[in-house]
Each structure stands twice: as C-alpha cells, then as structure tokens.
Amino acid sequence: MKYQTVIFDMDGTILETLEDMRDSVNVTMDHVGYPHRSLEEVRSFVGNGAAKLIERCMPQGAQDPRFQEAFRFYKQYYDTHAQIKTGPYAGIPELLRTLKNKGVQIAVVSNKPDEAVKLLSEHYFPGLFPVAIGQRPG
C-alpha cells in the first residue's frame, strides 16, 4: 500500500523540545514562587497541551489560585524562548524531504499552541509542511 499522506506530531516526534519546555516551566515557577521541576518531571507532565502541563506543575493543579497567571506567563515566555535548545531529531529533515520528493503530502498536527507550531515548523523545516496546525480556539 502506498501512503498518500503522513501527519506528524511535533513534540517528541519530529522535534526534541523538552529542554525548552522545562526551562520555560521553571521560569514560570520562579514567577509564581513555586519550586522548579526536573526534566523527568516535565517529561511525565507533557502530552496533553500547555494548560495541562502547567496544571501538573502547580502544587494545587488547576485549582491553584495562581494557575491562570502561571498559564498566561508560560505561554508568553515559551513563545519567545521555544528555539533555544529545541531541534529536530537526527534524520527527520531528510525523512521529510524524501517523503515530499516522493509526492507524499505531509503535515504537522500538535496540541502545542498554534503560533508555536507554525513558528517551529517554518524555522526547522522551511517550506516542507504546507499544513502545520496547533491548539487554537475552535
């Protein structure tokens, strides 16, 4: 069977983003006065979007009185610091070019915020993804 379309997730699939997420979490925790989270903790907290990540980092979860403030801060901070340690996994750019050259349609669909998905897709894989969609209202 020949595949016509391949849809990729972003975090942990085509990009290693964990260290930038951990660093952004810890700047956020500093901002709200809570302890830092380790790389392994953040790894165990990711996978359900940025709001869930911050909820899992907060001592009282989403019920924490500073949750909304922390979530807003994290989103703003991460949007401007998402490319410091992030990079594609070995072989991914070549794989994507090979698929595209063979006529396979490729896309990224992620629960990462839409702005970050578009920014990171174009930065690390310029011109390769005609469709890059992240979490957004609606």
Side-chain angles (χ1 to χ4, degrees):
M1 169 186 252
K2 181 180 178 191
Y3 293 97
Q4 297 176 354
T5 305
V6 178
I7 300 172
F8 294 90
D9 184 27
M10 181 167 277
D11 295 323
T13 303
I14 60 173
L15 286 178
E16 174 53 72
T17 57
L18 194 59
E19 288 189 46
D20 279 334
M21 285 192 291
R22 187 250 349 253
D23 293 350
S24 296
V25 159
N26 287 335
V27 169
T28 300
M29 293 300 103
D30 286 343
H31 176 76
V32 293
Y34 291 139
H36 282 196
R37 296 301 190 150
S38 71
L39 190 65
E40 287 310 311
E41 285 176 309
V42 173
R43 183 186 318 276
S44 73
F45 294 161
V46 298
N48 300 103
K52 190 58 97 172
L53 169 62
I54 297 305
E55 177 184 332
R56 291 171 176 156
C57 290
M58 302 292 285
Q60 297 173 35
Q63 304 307 310
D64 194 289
R66 301 201 70 191
F67 171 74
Q68 288 299 327
E69 175 188 355
F71 178 55
R72 280 191 301 274
F73 184 91
Y74 174 83
K75 285 185 359 182
Q76 289 176 333
Y77 186 87
Y78 183 74
D79 281 351
T80 58
H81 296 85
Q83 299 173 345
I84 296 169
K85 297 176 182 172
T86 290
Y89 286 104
I92 292 295
E94 296 81 7
L95 168 68
L96 297 175
R97 282 192 291 277
T98 297
L99 288 170
K100 188 167 182 164
N101 290 340
K102 290 186 177 209
V104 176
Q105 298 295 312
I106 58 175
V108 173
V109 178
S110 173
N111 60 10
K112 179 184 277 312
D114 191 57
E115 310 81 45
V117 171
K118 288 175 175 21
L119 176 79
L120 293 169
S121 293
E122 193 53 37
H123 179 79
Y124 291 107
F125 312 108
L128 287 177
F129 287 112
V131 176
I133 300 171
Q135 186 180 41
R136 58 186 181 198

